[in-house]
Amino acid sequence: MVQLYFLSILFNGVVGFLFIFGDSRESISEETKRFPLVSDGFRLILGILAGMIGILKLFSPMETSKGSSIYILGDLVPALAGIIAGFMLIYGFYRSRSSKVSEGGSLDSFGEVLSHYKKIVGIVLLATVVLHFLFPMALFL
């Protein structure tokens, strides 16, 4: 579906840009904190939409040049990138809101590892966006 293809590129690109350039909250003045990319609510909504598009992208890949499509594996890399990006944004929102976080859980440790490598994930997201834009019908991409 072309619509999911466009939304996947859009959301993965915005989240990748946000992970690379939008994390310097300490250096932002009070006037620029009103910009929506810094808002926690905007990040939550963006995370939910990126995750949903990633899940939908698993089941609705772009068609190959021969007219057939391989379901589940068709757009694996952009779909997984969207799901991971959505998880990271939603995890970051709830991590910043919760006053009592259970330490030692597997979800907590996985989220901490992803949060530590946020800039690298952002670079991978932008690379995925560029490759997926240039080669829309490639298998696994």
Side-chain angles (χ1 to χ4, degrees):
M1 236 175 139
V2 179
Q3 295 89 347
L4 288 178
Y5 169 74
F6 171 73
L7 288 174
S8 173
I9 288 176
L10 177 72
F11 285 124
N12 286 344
V14 169
V15 173
F17 180 78
L18 182 67
F19 283 168
I20 293 173
F21 301 110
D23 277 343
S24 57
R25 287 187 177 189
E26 294 82 23
S27 63
I28 297 175
S29 66
E30 282 297 319
E31 295 170 355
T32 36
K33 282 192 179 179
R34 295 182 189 145
F35 189 62
L37 286 178
V38 180
S39 168
D40 287 337
F42 181 79
R43 289 175 186 240
L44 176 66
I45 292 171
L46 188 64
I48 291 170
L49 290 175
M52 283 179 21
I53 294 300
I55 291 170
L56 289 174
K57 194 80 174 132
L58 280 175
F59 298 110
S60 178
M62 286 291 291
E63 290 187 7
T64 60
S65 60
K66 297 175 183 152
S68 65
S69 61
I70 298 175
Y71 294 101
I72 305 295
L73 296 179
D75 291 330
L76 186 65
V77 174
L80 289 178
I83 291 169
I84 290 172
F87 171 77
M88 287 177 65
L89 286 173
I90 293 169
Y91 176 79
F93 175 79
Y94 285 112
R95 180 81 173 166
S96 68
R97 295 282 182 181
S98 65
S99 60
K100 196 178 198 182
V101 178
S102 63
E103 296 293 328
S106 61
L107 186 64
D108 188 41
S109 62
F110 179 69
E112 286 297 321
V113 167
L114 285 179
S115 299
H116 184 68
Y117 297 109
K118 196 175 274 191
K119 290 198 188 275
I120 295 172
V121 171
I123 292 170
V124 169
L125 280 170
L126 289 181
T128 302
V129 164
V130 169
L131 289 174
H132 193 52
F133 180 75
L134 292 176
F135 308 109
M137 297 187 191
L139 188 63
F140 298 117
L141 190 64

